[in-house]
Amino acid sequence: MKDVIALEWIDAESDDAWRDIAEHEASDLARIETVGFLLSENEKVIRLAQNIDQTNGKASMVITIPKAWIVSRKVVKRGARVNGSKTTLGSERRR
């Protein structure tokens, strides 16, 4: 069982277009909201997965976010229980 975490974070930006320097400087960073199963974290990063296969110990759609980029963090559900061997966010049955 894994905690389900909601993060709000500021993403990096890259732009390969030829534009005036003033246009590049005026660009704002995107504010992102991500929800996922907490796989791991340390002092530098947090790692969330959208899907977990508990039978085979695998995860997919994993994102690693630097903690310095995180604006807010909330536990949505502690120890999310899995119905069957594979869990995707939103696939749990409501009781």
Side-chain angles (χ1 to χ4, degrees):
M1 293 193 295
K2 301 281 187 187
D3 288 350
V4 177
I5 305 292
L7 298 177
E8 185 175 340
W9 54 285
I10 305 298
D11 200 2
E13 179 183 352
S14 175
D15 187 347
D16 64 355
W18 284 96
R19 298 189 292 160
D20 291 335
I21 291 173
E23 289 181 76
H24 286 290
E25 291 174 341
S27 179
D28 285 334
L29 295 175
R31 201 171 183 106
I32 310 296
E33 293 182 32
T34 300
V35 178
F37 295 100
L38 176 63
L39 290 184
S40 65
E41 69 178 302
N42 59 36
E43 64 280 348
K44 294 181 182 179
V45 300
I46 187 166
R47 194 166 281 111
L48 302 180
Q50 290 293 305
N51 310 299
I52 295 179
D53 178 348
Q54 290 189 343
T55 300
N56 297 304
K58 296 182 180 186
S60 68
M61 301 294 294
V62 175
I63 185 168
T64 301
I65 302 169
K67 283 190 168 178
W69 296 7
I70 296 173
V71 175
S72 68
R73 171 183 176 157
K74 180 175 133 184
V75 176
V76 175
K77 188 171 187 179
R78 293 223 179 260
R81 200 167 272 290
V82 177
N83 294 327
S85 63
K86 293 186 181 178
T87 298
T88 301
L89 284 177
S91 69
E92 293 185 15
R93 288 187 186 141
R94 298 193 187 270
R95 295 175 193 218

